[in-house]
Amino acid sequence: MHRLRDPRFFLIALFLGILAAVPLLQTIMEVRQESGIHALELFSETPTAENLRAFEKNLEKTSWAARISRPWLQFAQFAWFKDGGEKVVVGSSGWYFYKPGLLYMAARPETRAKENDTNDPVAAIIHFRDQLAAHGIRLLVMPIPNKDTIYPDRLTSRIKSPQIALAPRTGEILERLKAAKVQTIDLFQEFALARQQGSGSVQETPLYLAQDTHWSPAGVAVAAKAAARRLAELGWLNPGEVAYSERPAPVQRMGDLVRMLQSPVIERSLKPEQVNTAQVIRGADQLYKDEAEAEILVLGDSFMRIYQQDAPESAGFIAHLAKELRQPMLSIVNDGGGSTLVREELSSGPVFLKNKKVMIWGFVERDFGLGIKGWQHVKLPAPVALQQQ
């Protein structure tokens, strides 16, 4: 009798009741939905490690308790412990970073790949450059720095100075490209210089979005001017004659890093970023558009897509480079596919090579180690075969 009055007894009983109620209610719901009792699926397959993992994931996916509690647990971890889950690192001052990119930055450089290793970025780039040269096309490579490379001080408040943090593997690859006489646009230096010039101002204009993996309109502008300046130094193009201008086109964006948190509760607690983009227009009000007969082909990933193909459109790197060069571009863009997928698309559509003199290939820095499909050697059609089409 005294034991029944002990508060610990009630707590234990409540805890056991909750443990029993969750699977009982789950079973009742599954019986009423006539979808079968998922727990019994354990006995329908051979109990291998793979089948057990699949069974566990399926239970998590179908659990009503998990669906209800997970968003609030994620919000508590995010708000109290600054935990962004598997893909996001919560930085300082409302900045977020892509965790796989951070892991790439911290990784030690790999042993130099053999020349026939099809996952070696340098070998793939050289192979691509030499194929383009056979078509009379020059290649200009533009690795785009990771956000954390340029803003390590926004990752942690313990870093005070605005100096960049170059990943060891990136430094090795850039040196190898230079030794192989591959022409590049050094955005690492350009962005570092832009940060230094803006660090003394009352409010520095960030080159990247706080909630997103991608660059800001200021980063787009620096990159477009750097690319135009590099092309002028190389003397690869004649001056264009198309007069483009700009007009303000502010948009609000909920960053991709916020969406990667996969929590509607967190997303509702954050405000979208105000992004002051500038659309490139031709004439009075004609938005910039690619042209098939352009002499420049741009290959790239989502850094080429942002502001250009999504809101507000015609305000991304491609449009702003066209404005700087006073001539239109043609582009092939594949989100996440800057390393291999864009070259595969080019190979399957050789008409993209028609009339081209220069190819600018932009891809995010982390693709040196994390690119989709790695760095395969993609064969372009031979010049003679292309002429016969």
Side-chain angles (χ1 to χ4, degrees):
M1 196 68 178
H2 291 293
R3 181 176 299 175
L4 293 176
R5 294 177 181 176
D6 189 339
R8 290 175 296 180
F9 175 80
F10 289 104
L11 289 175
I12 293 171
L14 177 62
F15 178 70
L16 294 176
I18 292 173
L19 290 180
V22 171
L24 179 60
L25 289 173
Q26 180 72 29
T27 301
I28 293 172
M29 291 173 64
E30 290 174 356
V31 169
R32 293 183 64 182
Q33 293 171 358
E34 299 182 355
S35 58
I37 300 175
H38 293 293
L40 298 180
E41 295 175 1
L42 177 64
F43 306 102
S44 64
E45 299 282 352
T46 305
T48 63
E50 182 179 355
N51 288 338
L52 289 174
R53 280 194 296 270
F55 171 73
E56 183 180 9
K57 288 182 179 179
N58 189 45
L59 281 184
E60 292 178 359
K61 184 178 179 181
T62 57
S63 170
W64 66 271
R67 286 198 301 271
I68 293 173
S69 63
R70 186 179 293 116
W72 295 103
L73 289 173
Q74 286 176 327
F75 179 76
Q77 287 179 312
F78 174 80
W80 297 341
F81 304 110
K82 305 301 181 184
D83 183 357
E86 295 181 357
K87 293 185 177 182
V88 180
V89 172
V90 180
S92 61
S93 305
W95 279 55
Y96 306 96
F97 294 85
Y98 186 49
K99 186 177 288 186
L102 280 170
L103 295 177
Y104 164 81
M105 186 178 77
R108 297 177 60 186
E110 299 173 359
T111 303
R112 178 170 294 190
K114 297 179 181 179
E115 290 184 2
N116 62 353
D117 185 349
T118 57
N119 199 35
D120 175 20
V122 177
I125 291 170
I126 292 172
H127 179 256
F128 188 51
R129 177 197 64 183
D130 294 345
Q131 288 189 93
L132 290 173
H135 289 270
I137 301 172
R138 293 173 164 130
L139 176 65
L140 186 56
V141 178
M142 187 178 71
I144 303 169
N146 288 344
K147 178 180 176 179
D148 38 84
T149 298
I150 304 302
Y151 286 95
D153 52 315
R154 300 295 179 99
L155 180 62
T156 171
S157 58
R158 287 178 291 183
I159 300 176
K160 301 299 182 184
S161 60
Q163 62 186 22
I164 70 170
L166 190 65
R169 177 153 170 76
T170 298
E172 177 209 26
I173 290 173
L174 294 178
E175 286 297 321
R176 291 176 59 199
L177 290 173
K178 183 178 179 180
K181 292 182 170 44
V182 174
Q183 301 298 335
T184 63
I185 303 167
D186 190 352
L187 289 187
F188 299 89
Q189 181 179 354
E190 295 284 347
F191 281 13
L193 181 61
R195 283 216 66 188
Q196 290 173 5
Q197 292 174 343
S199 61
S201 61
V202 176
Q203 186 171 2
E204 178 186 353
T205 302
L207 302 173
Y208 287 76
L209 299 175
Q211 298 179 352
D212 205 284
T213 56
H214 299 96
W215 48 22
S216 68
V220 168
V222 171
K225 290 180 184 298
R229 191 163 54 248
R230 187 75 178 108
L231 286 168
E233 291 170 355
L234 293 168
W236 285 358
L237 290 171
N238 295 321
E241 299 178 350
V242 181
Y244 292 105
S245 59
E246 295 181 6
R247 69 181 179 195
V251 294
Q252 289 190 327
R253 287 184 59 91
M254 186 62 78
D256 59 358
L257 290 168
V258 175
R259 294 194 299 272
M260 288 181 201
L261 293 168
Q262 296 184 329
S263 170
V265 178
I266 296 175
E267 193 166 332
R268 287 194 298 268
S269 72
L270 299 172
K271 294 181 180 179
E273 282 189 80
Q274 179 72 23
V275 185
N276 295 319
T277 67
Q279 287 179 312
V280 175
I281 57 175
R282 184 173 183 175
D285 60 356
Q286 182 183 354
L287 289 176
Y288 166 85
K289 292 193 298 185
D290 280 1
E291 294 186 14
E293 297 298 319
E295 295 182 343
I296 306 170
L297 176 62
V298 178
L299 302 184
D301 54 20
S302 57
F303 276 78
M304 302 295 124
R305 181 260 304 157
I306 190 170
Y307 318 128
Q308 186 72 23
Q309 297 176 357
D310 56 10
E313 298 184 355
S314 303
F317 171 83
I318 296 164
H320 281 274
L321 179 58
K323 174 181 167 290
E324 293 294 329
L325 297 175
R326 297 175 60 87
Q327 56 184 296
M329 315 278 119
L330 183 62
S331 60
I332 299 176
V333 176
N334 188 302
D335 277 19
S339 59
T340 292
L341 296 183
V342 287
R343 289 181 291 130
E344 289 182 338
E345 188 173 346
L346 175 64
S347 177
S348 65
V351 68
F352 285 112
L353 297 174
K354 183 181 178 182
N355 198 46
K356 299 299 172 287
K357 293 183 178 179
V358 173
M359 188 172 300
I360 299 174
W361 184 11
F363 49 83
V364 68
E365 173 192 358
R366 60 179 173 268
D367 273 3
F368 283 140
L370 304 174
I372 296 176
K373 298 184 73 172
W375 289 86
Q376 298 181 21
H377 288 199
V378 177
K379 187 175 181 180
L380 297 178
V384 174
L386 184 61
Q387 292 171 4
Q388 292 175 347
Q389 289 189 352

